[in-house]
Structure formats: C-alpha cells, structure tokens
Amino acid sequence: MYILGLDVGTTGCKAVLFNVDGRLIAQSYREYLLYHPKPSWSEEEPLEVWRGVVETIKEAVAKSEVKVDEIEVLSVSAQGEAFTPLDRELNPLYRCITTWDDRAVKQHDEFLKLIDRAELFEITGHPSSPVYTLFKLMWFKENKPEIYEKTWKFLLWEDFINMLLCGVPAIDYSLASRTMIFDIRRLNWSREILEPSGLDEDKLPEPHPSGKVVGEVSRKASDETGLDEGTLVVTGGHDQACGTLGVGAINPGATYVATGTVESIVAPLHKPLLRREMIPMGFASYCHVAPNRYLILGANPTAGILLRWFRDKFGEKYVEEASKRGVSVYDLMMEDSSKAPVGSQGLLIAPYFMGAGTPNWDTYARGLIIGLTVAHGKPELIRAIVEGITYELRLNIETLEKLGVEIEEIRTVGGGARSKFWLQLKADITGKRVVLPDITEASSAGAAMLAGLGAGLYKDVDDAISKFYREFKVYQPNLNVKKTYDRFYRVYVKLYPAVKNTYREAFQVLEAAGREQ
Amino acid sequence: MYILGLDVGTTGCKAVLFNVDGRLIAQSYREYLLYHPKPSWSEEEPLEVWRGVVETIKEAVAKSEVKVDEIEVLSVSAQGEAFTPLDRELNPLYRCITTWDDRAVKQHDEFLKLIDRAELFEITGHPSSPVYTLFKLMWFKENKPEIYEKTWKFLLWEDFINMLLCGVPAIDYSLASRTMIFDIRRLNWSREILEPSGLDEDKLPEPHPSGKVVGEVSRKASDETGLDEGTLVVTGGHDQACGTLGVGAINPGATYVATGTVESIVAPLHKPLLRREMIPMGFASYCHVAPNRYLILGANPTAGILLRWFRDKFGEKYVEEASKRGVSVYDLMMEDSSKAPVGSQGLLIAPYFMGAGTPNWDTYARGLIIGLTVAHGKPELIRAIVEGITYELRLNIETLEKLGVEIEEIRTVGGGARSKFWLQLKADITGKRVVLPDITEASSAGAAMLAGLGAGLYKDVDDAISKFYREFKVYQPNLNVKKTYDRFYRVYVKLYPAVKNTYREAFQVLEAAGREQ
C-alpha cells in the first residue's frame, strides 16, 4: 500500500511516493515560472502549476513502478497566502497572487484603521502584513470588482488542488491560518475580520482539520493524473506545518529548521502563544497539522540565498573548478570555508540582505559585514556568511525560549542540511542537539502522514511518526568550539541595535538618490 | 644646471633628477626588503637601503645623459621615525627599526607615567604613540645596553644618507619632529623629554633648518655614487613635508593629499596648531620644510591597499583580463566601478581594515560594509571602497576645518591620482577644487626645491615653487553629484560612533579565540 504526498511550493512542486512503512519510494519535481507584471508584483499561472502537479504525479508513479491501484490516498502540502479566483466551472479568472507581492499595502494600512493590530493578532495569531491573503482579496474587490463578483471561490493551493482532484474546496486549519481571516481558536473564518473587510465568507473554501478525508479522485482527475478513480483525498496543510510534522515535531522540544533560500524555524506548542511583544518581532503562532497542536514560526528571509549570491558575484573560480571536477560548487565553497578558523578571524556578517526577519523584523535592514582586515578572503567570507545565518538562528531560538517556548533539539532539512560542516556548526553555535532525519523531504512526508492518518492506515499521529521519522545522523555541540562562538555571538547580537537607526536613514538617502539620478 | 632629489621611503627609494627650471629629467626606483624577526617587529637592513640609494642615483644620472659635473646639489626626503645606530666608523650596529614596529609599547606606557601626554603634545606637536623614535631608543637602552653604549649616533634616514655622503650627521626640523624628542617651537632637542627618558643628547644628529648646505659629497661617496666630489648636500625633510612643498603648499588653503597604500592629508600653517582635542584624534602639527611654516598631518592607514586587497582576494577575473588586454588591472577595476551608480546602490564601506586613522583614531576599528543586498557585486564593492576612502578624506577635511585649518583646494598625488574617476570623486565628495599637479613625484620635487634653495639657485621659496609647481588638470565638484554624496556622507559619519563599542569587544573576543585555538 502506498501514499502520495504532494508539495506545492513557491518555485516548484513535488510528488513523493511513500510506502505505508514510511519509506520514500520515488519522487519527482517541476519548477514553474513566477510572473512580475510590475517589479513588486508576483504571480503564478494556475494551470501551469496544475500541469506541474499532474506531471510530477505521473513521473513519480512511473519511476516507482508501483501500480496505481496500490496508491490508496494523497494529501497536499502548500505554500501559504497565494490564492486564485475560480468561477463555478473552475476556470481561473486571474493569475494566482503570491506572498511576495506588495499590491495590497494600501488595503493593509487602511484596514488597520478599522481593527486594532493587537486584536488582529489575537484572532489570527499573525502580526499583520500586506503579504496575507485578506488584504489581497480586498485589493481584488476594490480594483477588479467584476472579477470579484464572478468569483465563486478564492482558493489557496491546497484547496485548489483538492478541488480539481475531488470537487471539494477543502482547506485545512493551518493553511487557512495564513489568510489572516481565520480565527485560530474558534477554528473558523472570523466574522470580526470579514465584516469590516467587506469580503464574502461564501467565496472562501471550507476549513477542515488536517488529515480528514474530503473526497475521492474524480473520473476527470483520474484521466488527467493517471491516479485511480476513488483514490482518497485528505486535507494536508501549510508547508511549514507539514514539514514540522514530517520530522515528527508535534510536541514542545523538537524544533523544525528548514534551511533553504529562506530559513524557517518552527516549534510545536500545545496552545497558541499570543504574547503582544511577538507582534514587533514578527513571530506567528497558529494551527499545527497535528491534532490539537499549534506552532510558532520564525524566519530568516536571507539564508541559503547568500551563498548563491556569493557564488554568482564572487565565485567564478569555484564555479570553474566545480565544473572541471564534476562536483557541487557549494560543496567546494563549504570545504574551503571550513578551513577558515572558528569565528572567521573576527569577521561578523548580519544576513539582512533583504531585511531582517524574526526577531529584529525590519524591512529597512540590509547586509552588514564588520571586522574586515586585509587578511580576509573568500574562505573567511563564506564561513562568516554561514556563521551569520546560524547566529541569526540562535537569536531566534533564544528569543523563542525567552517567550517560553521549549527548544531541546533541532531537526533540520533543506539545502543547508546537505553540508556536514553546516550541521555541526548549527550544533556548535546553538548548543543544541542537531538531527538530520532519514527523510529530508519533510513537507511531502508530513502530507503523506496526514493522508495515511485520514485513510486510517495509522492508529494515531505517534504511530505515523514512528513509521516516517528516523534519525539519520546526530550532531552534538563541541563545547570548546561553542565557548568561542558564545563570545562572538555576544558581539553579534549587539550589531543590529547599534546600526538600527542608520538603516532607516540609509534607506531614505537611497530613495532620494534614486529620484535624483 | 641640475638638482637631485632623493626620496627614502618605507618600501623603496627614488632618485629624481630635475633641471633648474623644475622639469623632471629622469628618475629611478629600487625596492628594498622589510624584515620581521617577530611578526609585529619591522626592520630594514641599512646597507641594503644605502645600496638602493647609490644604484638609483647612478641609474637616474645614466638615463638622463646629464654630465655629473652639471649636478650642483642634492637633498633627501625621508620616511619618519625609522633609525639606525652607527659607531664612529659609521658601521651600523643593528638593523634600522621602522615605524610599524611595536616593540616599544612598554617603554611608551611607562614614559607616560613620567610626563603628561598633553605636555608631550605641547612640546613635540605629536600625540604620543609607540611608533615614535623616542620609545624605541629607550627600548634600545634597556634591551641592548651594550649596543646603546657603543653607538656614536642614532640616525634617521635623512641624516644617515647625509652622513655617508658628506660626513655630517645633519637632520632637519621636520624629520626631527617625528622622533618625539624635538621641541617644535624652540627648534632643538627637548631637555624636558631627554631627561626623564635617560637618553643622551650627543647620540642624536644635529638639527638644522631645511634647505641649508651642510656639506659636500666626499671623495669616498663620490667613488660610490658617481657624483662629483664637492656636490652640495643640503638638508631636506620628512617625506610628508617635502611632498607638501613639492605641490607648492606652503600657505594655508592649499592642502596636500597623497593617496597611496596609505592616504596622508597635510595642510600648511603659519604657526603650530596644538589644541588638546587633537590628541585623541591623532592629528600631529609640526615643522614644515618651508621657512617659518608648520603643518598639520592627518592620515588614513588603509587607502589604496584596499584595492590591492580586493584585487588579490576577489579580482582574479580582472587580473586575467588585464593580462590578456595588456592594461592595468586597477584601470579595469576603476572602469568597472565607475559604471555603478553614485553611492554604490546604498553600499557604505568604512575603510578601517587596519584600524581607524585621524580623526576617529582607533586601533581596534576594522573594516565595515553596510547596506548589502543581493544586487551588489564587484563593481559596487569597488566603487564603495573608493567612496569610503574619500568619505574618510572628507571627514578629515571637515574635522581640520572645525579645528580652524583653512582648506581651499586639494593638490593630490600617489596611485589614487592616476585615476580620473577617483580625482573627480574627490571633488564631488569633498566639494573642493582638486588639482593634479604636473609633477607627481612630490616628495622628490620638494627635496630638489630645498636643494636648489640651499645652493642659492632660487631667490626664495616662492621662486622655487613657481619653477616646480604647475597645475596639470583641475577637477571641480559636480554640485548635483555632491548633493547626493552629501546625503550618503551624513549616514557614513554615523557608522563609526554606532559600532565603536563593538570594535573593542570584538577585538577581545578575537584575542580570546586565538588563545583557545
């Protein structure tokens, strides 16, 4: 018996096939395009994403040589916020508007005159921001009234895929939380938000708990995907939440750290944590995909992307050598940087190249390098980048701990988890036990666990975890190295407060320079 | 009739032959080695330097095809602080100890218990530092008592060369000022300093005004150098002072800026400027080589060296392309950086890679880059380096102006003056008229002018300047560009105060890390 976990991400989608014992059997990946009709707008073409989902399902199944009738059930893990308007016949009426699209700044700012930011946080668990679905729906109603009127449902990616597969517009609580319209304690759309927003509740999908059967693959969907008609469709969740389940993190203590282009830090909770000081820090707390669990989410928007930046702007020699030797350029860069001493000879880098994430949460912040001498070269800079990202992880962990969140160990996936050097560095800088799990396709694994739970293949979530989650390798902090890092870290955390005021000034100067040139 | 200007610098020496009308006829250059018996010690081999002087004289004369009997007079411009102990027979008893040698930190700190720092500043015009000759002589007496006893004279490079040429140990007031033993108002060795130091005045050379005949080239020196016996030897001066004269800067207003590895900023004064707030800023004020003139000296220890750093650590592609096209790698780098916009897209670099010079004067400071985004690459970084060095120049100029120093225009030489882009940038950032002089070998030209004055070839110093100093090209500030730079500069000056405290902490952490590893 087999389970399919689908993961619809920000730049591509994956289909991952697991057996009922939680072994990864086959997977497939497709990238899709992002469209930018204006520089700060960001859209996806709904049918291109759907085609990606269809192709990855077919490819994963073909690779696995599993018979489709042995695939019992599937579930979707999805990026947050992004949504598409559909008419009754399921035709997309506009492109999908994604997270990093800033068209709704005005709607956001105006809405905050109608409802208090703290109240919004109390209801939704999220500090308000124009990225959330709510404000973009308001933009739609204001700027595209004819499309708004014609829209039957505005669907996020989980419910969009569920709709096309089984004809039911079902969203789960965790992904619904990312709209800023969902009441995370009453577990339903919030009247307190819908009413002042002027939006219609019946244009939203139906919220369900994760891991619930909502339908079966239809004849039409079967024809398209090659899946058997009748294959069960189960609610999945927000990709960060699915990933957290995917590494078995459902109880306080085990923390999920996904180190990709962006780094996410997710800690499971028994109840939502809604302390007001979290609002300026940017921490969100909302529904987990595990039953009766919540989570708290922190993020560093510029993690692995800095290594790509370094490769593209300064790494020609690494690129040439990697191509000559047929190895990964990142492996070469990490190998080189691992030869630089602990603390990169006094070099500290604050990775705020696109603004600071949690907990400094500052859109004006930018990258900072301090401590440079003429002895510093590429190895020290690369190491300082990796150390800086990891200091920022420690800052998030320590801030979460001060907020009362329990963090015992880090279970980590993503590009950053491919480097043993970085894994050990995570342990040495944070002082935590760092676990590389056996399955690093955490979001798809989480979706598959929810699918299996929905289909009754597991007794309960602990049973599912016991099948899917195993430690592949454990990294313990080297306490001598940690002692040195403790010292550098104490300097690191003082940098942002020291230069904070200059960030806003520099931003204004740059804006003025842009107007003059 | 011809004049020889010799320049004994920190890494090499030059002989430059001028005609009596101030035209540069021929020149020659030799590098010599620096020895580091301990990492923070720095020495030169006296006879290697002497050999360099002899070879450059011969080569310059040979290139010029001038007959030696037409060379009337010579003079030496010399690096400061560095000295060699000689016995009666003129044998060096130890290597020359140069400026950036820190062996005398203990002697410096102990001496400040015997004499107040402000008093020392009042007498010598210099904020105290272990770099000065005084403390290294004390180190000698304490650590090499047998050599100290045997020493007839401790000579700096001007007096050393004069001694070997004409048998007279004659130093001028400007170079004597750099020992921290010289009373810049009484124009003699200071009893107030010599007495507590325990040093013997008769082991020091004789101080004379610059531009005074002190002897004639001896038979022996004639045999070695090829110069005619009887060629006049005239006192020259400290290289910064000679350079300032070399660009005709003897009256307040015209300021000498030498942009090499290090950048020096020298403004002429009618009287020494000895305000106590100059002490923590590191500004020195002492004897000019022009009669009855003084100067004030500021410096940025890491100017052009940062471009070499960038070339060596990140510039392989520029090096390859330069070699392929047969052009200068720095020209390529500057060309590329000139394409980045004014203000380098918000990137600011504080060039404190080896500590901050005047006026922030901080040995703990290190290089700082702020404002980084993933859009920044090599062109923006190079431009930001050049802009940062030039912001630092503006900071020095504005600080000097606040101290009451008049600065009307910048007359600039050195590697930095080879780039039109950088020359225009200096004008745009400082708002001053920037002049590239016809003769950029300013220190040698200044020495030659002093030689000519000593030999009575010129009526007075103004007459000499009228022969040697001509404007080659003038750069006026572009006021629109300046307006943008004014804004960036206002952010730039806030960076150092913001991070100042973290520099000392980071230094201590790095020291601790060094001990642990």
Side-chain angles (χ1 to χ4, degrees):
Chain A
M1 221 162 357
Y2 296 90
I3 312 173
L4 196 56
L6 302 177
D7 181 20
V8 181
T10 49
T11 53
C13 61
K14 266 177 209 155
V16 188
L17 195 65
F18 296 90
N19 72 13
V20 74
D21 294 325
R23 300 284 154 180
L24 194 157
I25 305 300
Q27 59 182 317
S28 168
Y29 176 73
R30 284 285 183 290
E31 267 190 21
Y32 28 73
L33 291 176
L34 279 171
Y35 297 89
H36 305 284
K38 297 187 182 185
S40 64
W41 286 21
S42 180
E43 303 176 349
E44 286 164 343
E45 188 57 67
L47 297 182
E48 284 175 17
V49 175
W50 170 246
R51 196 184 323 126
V53 170
V54 167
E55 287 176 4
T56 52
I57 292 173
K58 285 181 171 168
E59 186 173 279
V61 173
K63 275 187 192 172
S64 71
E65 300 179 20
V66 161
K67 290 184 202 134
V68 282
D69 60 5
E70 290 187 87
I71 301 172
E72 180 113 346
V73 59
L74 65 83
S75 201
V76 177
S77 154
Q79 57 169 305
E81 298 89 72
F83 70 94
T84 306
L86 295 176
D87 68 13
R88 256 279 172 219
E89 287 68 46
L90 308 187
N91 300 307
L93 300 177
Y94 198 84
R95 282 210 195 115
C96 170
I97 303 178
T98 73
T99 306
W100 302 115
D101 178 303
D102 76 353
R103 75 184 74 192
V105 170
K106 176 174 154 268
Q107 285 72 22
H108 170 262
D109 294 352
E110 285 177 0
F111 193 67
L112 287 187
K113 293 174 193 159
L114 305 176
I115 186 166
D116 188 55
R117 198 157 189 243
E119 196 189 338
L120 210 47
F121 178 68
E122 289 285 333
I123 297 169
T124 66
H126 288 74
S128 79
S129 153
V131 302
Y132 294 115
T133 318
L134 168 63
F135 307 108
K136 288 165 181 165
L137 292 177
M138 290 170 68
W139 176 90
F140 237 97
K141 191 168 180 191
E142 200 175 319
N143 294 280
K144 303 280 172 194
E146 67 299 347
I147 300 183
Y148 184 85
E149 279 314 310
K150 267 203 259 175
T151 299
W152 167 62
K153 292 283 181 192
F154 290 100
L155 298 183
L156 280 71
W157 281 119
E158 177 190 9
D159 15 329
F160 182 99
I161 303 296
N162 289 345
M163 185 70 218
L164 293 194
L165 288 172
C166 73
V168 179
I171 192 170
D172 84 293
Y173 299 158
S174 67
L175 194 64
S177 300
R178 299 294 295 181
T179 61
M180 190 150 272
I181 314 174
F182 193 72
D183 186 323
I184 60 167
R185 278 176 292 203
R186 293 197 205 135
L187 302 175
N188 213 332
W189 301 116
S190 163
R191 292 280 158 82
E192 291 90 337
I193 294 171
L194 280 170
E195 202 187 310
S197 75
L199 299 173
D200 302 288
E201 184 173 346
D202 63 5
K203 290 186 191 288
L204 300 176
E206 302 155 16
H208 295 275
S210 298
K212 186 184 157 193
V213 177
V214 289
E216 296 177 356
V217 169
S218 66
R219 162 72 62 93
K220 180 161 181 282
S222 169
D223 289 346
E224 281 195 82
T225 60
L227 292 171
D228 251 18
E229 201 182 331
T231 306
L232 295 176
V233 177
V234 165
T235 45
H238 184 217
D239 51 11
Q240 305 296 354
C242 286
T244 307
L245 173 62
V247 299
I250 58 163
N251 291 314
T255 300
Y256 173 61
V257 174
T259 309
T261 308
V262 169
E263 182 164 84
S264 304
I265 303 123
V266 192
L269 301 169
H270 283 116
K271 288 186 301 183
L273 184 68
L274 298 170
R275 291 173 59 169
R276 293 213 173 170
E277 65 260 48
M278 289 163 58
I279 302 177
M281 293 178 179
F283 285 112
S285 183
Y286 56 99
C287 301
H288 200 341
V289 289
N292 303 313
R293 291 292 188 283
Y294 288 81
L295 53 80
I296 184 164
L297 168 70
N300 168 3
T302 36
I305 194 174
L306 296 188
L307 293 174
R308 197 202 301 161
W309 167 75
F310 194 89
R311 179 199 71 183
D312 293 345
K313 302 289 187 178
F314 307 98
E316 306 98 331
K317 285 286 161 188
Y318 291 117
V319 172
E320 284 172 20
E321 199 190 332
S323 127
K324 208 180 298 168
R325 285 168 49 186
V327 295
S328 144
V329 61
Y330 294 112
D331 286 352
L332 279 187
M333 285 165 61
M334 294 306 252
E335 188 190 318
D336 219 14
S337 74
S338 70
K339 290 174 201 152
V342 170
S344 305
Q345 292 183 36
L347 209 55
L348 291 172
I349 298 188
Y352 306 142
F353 283 53
M354 295 161 78
T358 53
N360 287 325
W361 204 251
D362 182 348
T363 53
Y364 298 106
R366 291 293 175 267
L368 168 72
I369 306 182
I370 194 167
L372 279 161
T373 71
V374 291
H376 291 123
K378 288 178 198 166
E380 293 78 19
L381 268 160
I382 298 168
R383 185 171 183 127
I385 286 173
V386 178
E387 288 174 341
I389 296 166
T390 314
Y391 291 141
E392 200 63 16
L393 172 62
R394 174 166 168 179
L395 179 62
N396 271 285
I397 287 172
E398 288 191 356
T399 309
L400 288 170
E401 287 176 332
K402 276 183 207 147
L403 288 166
V405 177
E406 203 182 313
I407 297 183
E408 288 302 317
E409 72 173 31
I410 291 168
R411 299 178 182 178
T412 189
V413 303
R418 282 191 212 118
S419 156
K420 281 180 199 173
F421 166 67
W422 199 344
L423 287 161
Q424 183 60 48
L425 200 83
K426 276 191 168 85
D428 292 342
I429 288 183
T430 64
K432 304 290 180 189
R433 184 175 193 264
V434 170
V435 181
L436 178 67
D438 193 38
I439 295 173
T440 54
E441 295 300 337
S443 296
S444 308
M449 287 155 82
L450 292 169
L453 280 163
L457 303 179
Y458 308 113
K459 202 164 66 202
D460 54 23
V461 70
D462 288 318
D463 183 30
I465 291 170
S466 75
K467 298 285 194 297
F468 279 76
Y469 177 69
R470 284 168 297 275
E471 293 180 347
F472 179 72
K473 187 134 197 246
V474 174
Y475 296 81
Q476 295 286 1
N478 173 326
L479 294 180
N480 266 334
V481 175
K482 179 170 185 294
K483 205 172 117 193
T484 301
Y485 275 130
D486 285 349
R487 293 209 177 92
F488 283 110
Y489 175 72
R490 280 194 287 273
V491 179
Y492 175 83
V493 293
K494 289 179 186 166
L495 292 174
Y496 173 76
V499 299
K500 184 180 172 169
N501 290 333
T502 65
Y503 279 136
R504 186 174 284 251
E505 281 177 63
F507 183 83
Q508 286 160 350
V509 167
L510 193 56
E511 294 271 290
R515 284 191 302 272
E516 277 158 16
Q517 280 172 21
Chain B
M1 222 166 350
Y2 296 90
I3 312 173
L4 196 57
L6 303 176
D7 182 20
V8 182
T10 48
T11 53
C13 62
K14 266 177 209 155
V16 187
L17 195 65
F18 297 89
N19 73 11
V20 74
D21 295 326
R23 300 283 153 181
L24 194 156
I25 306 298
Q27 59 182 317
S28 167
Y29 177 72
R30 284 287 183 290
E31 269 191 19
Y32 27 72
L33 292 176
L34 280 171
Y35 297 88
H36 304 285
K38 298 187 181 184
S40 64
W41 285 22
S42 179
E43 301 177 350
E44 286 164 342
E45 188 57 69
L47 297 183
E48 284 175 15
V49 175
W50 171 246
R51 197 186 320 128
V53 171
V54 167
E55 287 177 4
T56 52
I57 292 173
K58 286 182 172 170
E59 186 172 277
V61 173
K63 276 189 194 171
S64 71
E65 299 180 20
V66 162
K67 292 186 200 131
V68 283
D69 61 5
E70 291 188 86
I71 301 172
E72 181 112 344
V73 58
L74 65 84
S75 201
V76 176
S77 155
Q79 58 169 303
E81 297 88 73
F83 70 94
T84 305
L86 296 175
D87 68 13
R88 257 280 171 214
E89 287 69 46
L90 308 187
N91 299 307
L93 300 176
Y94 198 84
R95 284 212 195 114
C96 169
I97 301 178
T98 74
T99 306
W100 302 115
D101 177 304
D102 76 351
R103 74 184 74 191
V105 171
K106 174 175 156 266
Q107 285 72 21
H108 170 263
D109 295 351
E110 284 177 0
F111 193 67
L112 286 188
K113 293 174 193 158
L114 304 177
I115 186 167
D116 187 55
R117 198 157 188 243
E119 196 189 339
L120 209 47
F121 178 68
E122 290 286 334
I123 298 169
T124 65
H126 287 75
S128 79
S129 152
V131 301
Y132 294 115
T133 318
L134 168 64
F135 307 107
K136 288 164 182 167
L137 292 177
M138 290 172 66
W139 177 89
F140 238 96
K141 190 167 181 190
E142 198 175 321
N143 293 280
K144 304 278 172 195
E146 67 298 347
I147 299 183
Y148 182 85
E149 279 314 312
K150 267 202 258 174
T151 299
W152 168 63
K153 292 282 181 193
F154 290 99
L155 298 183
L156 280 71
W157 281 118
E158 177 190 10
D159 15 328
F160 182 98
I161 303 296
N162 289 345
M163 185 70 219
L164 293 194
L165 287 172
C166 74
V168 180
I171 192 169
D172 84 293
Y173 299 157
S174 67
L175 194 64
S177 299
R178 298 296 295 181
T179 60
M180 191 150 269
I181 313 174
F182 193 71
D183 186 323
I184 60 167
R185 277 176 294 201
R186 292 196 205 137
L187 301 175
N188 213 333
W189 300 117
S190 163
R191 290 281 156 81
E192 291 90 337
I193 293 170
L194 280 170
E195 201 185 310
S197 75
L199 298 174
D200 301 287
E201 184 173 347
D202 62 6
K203 290 187 190 286
L204 300 175
E206 302 155 15
H208 294 276
S210 297
K212 186 186 159 192
V213 175
V214 290
E216 297 177 355
V217 169
S218 66
R219 162 72 62 93
K220 179 159 182 284
S222 169
D223 289 347
E224 281 196 81
T225 61
L227 292 172
D228 251 19
E229 203 182 330
T231 306
L232 294 176
V233 176
V234 165
T235 43
H238 184 217
D239 51 11
Q240 305 296 356
C242 286
T244 307
L245 174 62
V247 298
I250 60 164
N251 291 313
T255 300
Y256 173 62
V257 174
T259 309
T261 309
V262 169
E263 183 165 82
S264 303
I265 302 122
V266 191
L269 301 169
H270 283 116
K271 289 186 301 184
L273 184 69
L274 298 170
R275 290 173 60 167
R276 294 212 172 171
E277 65 261 48
M278 290 163 57
I279 302 177
M281 294 178 179
F283 286 112
S285 183
Y286 57 98
C287 301
H288 200 339
V289 289
N292 303 313
R293 291 292 188 282
Y294 289 80
L295 53 80
I296 184 163
L297 168 70
N300 169 2
T302 35
I305 194 174
L306 296 189
L307 292 174
R308 198 201 301 159
W309 167 74
F310 195 89
R311 179 198 70 183
D312 293 345
K313 303 290 189 179
F314 306 98
E316 305 99 330
K317 286 286 162 187
Y318 292 117
V319 173
E320 284 172 19
E321 197 189 333
S323 127
K324 210 181 295 168
R325 286 169 48 186
V327 295
S328 143
V329 61
Y330 293 112
D331 286 352
L332 279 189
M333 285 165 61
M334 294 306 251
E335 189 190 319
D336 218 14
S337 74
S338 70
K339 290 174 201 150
V342 171
S344 304
Q345 292 185 34
L347 210 55
L348 291 172
I349 298 189
Y352 307 141
F353 283 53
M354 293 160 80
T358 52
N360 286 325
W361 204 251
D362 183 349
T363 52
Y364 297 106
R366 291 293 176 265
L368 169 72
I369 306 182
I370 194 167
L372 280 161
T373 71
V374 290
H376 291 123
K378 288 178 197 163
E380 293 78 19
L381 268 160
I382 297 167
R383 184 172 184 128
I385 286 172
V386 178
E387 289 175 339
I389 295 166
T390 313
Y391 291 141
E392 199 65 15
L393 172 62
R394 174 166 170 178
L395 179 62
N396 271 284
I397 288 173
E398 288 192 354
T399 310
L400 288 170
E401 287 176 332
K402 276 183 208 147
L403 288 167
V405 177
E406 204 181 314
I407 296 183
E408 289 302 317
E409 70 172 33
I410 291 169
R411 300 179 182 177
T412 188
V413 303
R418 280 191 214 121
S419 156
K420 283 181 197 172
F421 167 67
W422 199 344
L423 287 161
Q424 184 59 49
L425 200 85
K426 275 190 169 85
D428 293 342
I429 288 182
T430 65
K432 303 290 180 190
R433 184 177 192 264
V434 170
V435 181
L436 178 67
D438 193 39
I439 294 172
T440 54
E441 293 300 337
S443 297
S444 308
M449 287 155 83
L450 293 169
L453 281 163
L457 304 178
Y458 307 113
K459 203 165 65 204
D460 54 22
V461 70
D462 288 318
D463 184 31
I465 291 171
S466 75
K467 298 285 196 295
F468 279 76
Y469 178 69
R470 283 167 298 275
E471 293 181 347
F472 179 73
K473 188 136 196 242
V474 174
Y475 296 80
Q476 295 286 1
N478 174 325
L479 293 181
N480 267 334
V481 175
K482 180 172 185 291
K483 205 173 118 194
T484 302
Y485 275 130
D486 285 348
R487 293 210 177 91
F488 282 111
Y489 175 73
R490 280 195 287 275
V491 179
Y492 175 82
V493 294
K494 289 180 186 166
L495 292 175
Y496 174 75
V499 299
K500 185 180 172 170
N501 290 333
T502 64
Y503 279 135
R504 186 174 284 252
E505 281 176 63
F507 183 84
Q508 287 161 349
V509 167
L510 193 56
E511 294 272 289
R515 285 193 302 273
E516 276 159 15
Q517 279 173 23

